[in-house]
Amino acid sequence: ETGVTQSPTHLIKTRGQQVTLRCSSQSGHNTVSWYQQALGQGPQFIFQYYREEENGRGNFPPRFSGLQFPNYSSELNVNALELDDSALYLCASSPSGGLGIQETQYFGPGTRLLVL
Amino acid sequence: AQRVTQPEKLLSVFKGAPVELKCNYSYSGSPELFWYVQYSRQRLQLLLRHISRESIKGFTADLNKGETSFHLKKPFAQEEDSAMYYCALYTGNQFYFGTGTSLTVIP
């Protein structure tokens, strides 16, 4: 059984650009969540997908968008990058979900994004 | 409004001493609470969740709805407990994490 993987590990972009981050869920997991973790802070919930549908969203603007694919891998897209978007982006998968049900999340290693 | 508060950013205890990491939450509904831990150079991982009522690695946490707290406790700290600890709240469609407490166990 493979764990959660994320790509790339590091990324440097300039302000105004767009970025796509990828996450491969743990085998058998149909729920994925994305988090932004700024330096010295706890993870901030961006959104969660369950069976390809958005299942919850944190306080992030619409330029943060996501996709979950039939194989349950997922992407986080961020448009019009701002300097404050520099952070570690974590994804976490869990074995089941749906509204109001939260199973154990398994985190990936993260993608560190730097916006210049 | 901040949903999860961890008042201590840093906490140091001696090996063998009791340890308590504080967590307070703000939520009017029925909360689902978790403690996550991140050891040095490792991924964030679940330590325990309140609905399981388990003791993991000697740690326990009791949900106190009156005080809106979910403090993490261990009677005798070990060096391998040194890590970053995050308290997290799930409200049914959102997760809220605290800012974390860095625990150092002094040998």
Side-chain angles (χ1 to χ4, degrees):
Chain A
E1 184 180 277
T2 57
V4 178
T5 59
Q6 291 185 244
S7 63
T9 53
H10 297 83
L11 202 51
I12 300 175
K13 291 285 189 178
T14 56
R15 198 170 47 181
Q17 284 189 309
Q18 178 265 344
V19 70
T20 298
L21 309 182
R22 293 179 175 83
C23 173
S24 180
S25 296
Q26 192 162 315
S27 177
H29 290 186
N30 57 16
T31 302
V32 65
S33 300
W34 282 92
Y35 295 86
Q36 180 194 68
Q37 187 173 21
L39 209 57
Q41 300 296 316
Q44 275 204 288
F45 178 71
I46 303 175
F47 41 57
Q48 184 180 81
Y49 279 80
Y50 169 64
R51 291 186 174 178
E52 303 174 59
E53 297 284 332
E54 191 177 285
N55 187 31
R57 190 178 180 94
N59 189 26
F60 280 81
R63 61 188 184 85
F64 285 78
S65 62
L67 277 175
Q68 187 182 29
F69 300 101
N71 67 354
Y72 302 133
S73 65
S74 69
E75 287 181 355
L76 164 66
N77 297 289
V78 187
N79 292 324
L81 283 167
E82 300 176 0
L83 298 180
D84 283 350
D85 295 334
S86 296
L88 180 69
Y89 288 85
L90 298 167
C91 80
S93 70
S94 49
S96 63
L99 282 172
I101 303 167
Q102 185 55 60
E103 299 295 332
T104 299
Q105 295 187 99
Y106 295 83
F107 280 82
T111 293
R112 191 162 295 281
L113 172 66
L114 177 61
V115 182
L116 301 176
Chain B
Q2 191 168 10
R3 296 280 192 168
V4 178
T5 304
Q6 292 181 252
E8 304 130 333
K9 214 162 178 62
L10 303 169
L11 185 63
S12 295
V13 300
F14 285 99
K15 179 181 171 182
V19 62
E20 181 180 50
L21 289 84
K22 291 186 168 51
C23 172
N24 288 89
Y25 68 90
S26 171
Y27 181 53
S28 56
S30 187
E32 197 169 342
L33 287 147
F34 306 80
W35 276 99
Y36 280 84
V37 61
Q38 188 165 27
Y39 301 103
S40 180
R41 286 186 285 277
Q42 292 189 29
R43 303 176 184 198
L44 200 56
Q45 59 184 282
L46 179 69
L47 180 61
L48 52 80
R49 54 193 300 176
H50 88 274
I51 61 170
S52 301
R53 296 185 152 270
E54 298 172 294
S55 173
I56 306 291
K57 299 186 179 183
F59 283 98
T60 58
D62 290 317
L63 175 60
N64 185 323
K65 290 188 178 180
E67 294 183 359
T68 60
S69 68
F70 187 56
H71 302 328
L72 184 68
K73 299 176 185 178
K74 184 169 183 176
F76 308 104
Q78 302 299 314
E79 288 177 68
E80 55 266 28
D81 297 328
S82 294
M84 192 73 175
Y85 291 81
Y86 294 96
C87 181
L89 164 71
Y90 182 64
T91 60
N93 64 354
Q94 286 198 45
F95 259 104
Y96 297 89
F97 277 72
T99 51
T101 296
S102 178
L103 174 66
T104 300
V105 180
I106 304 164

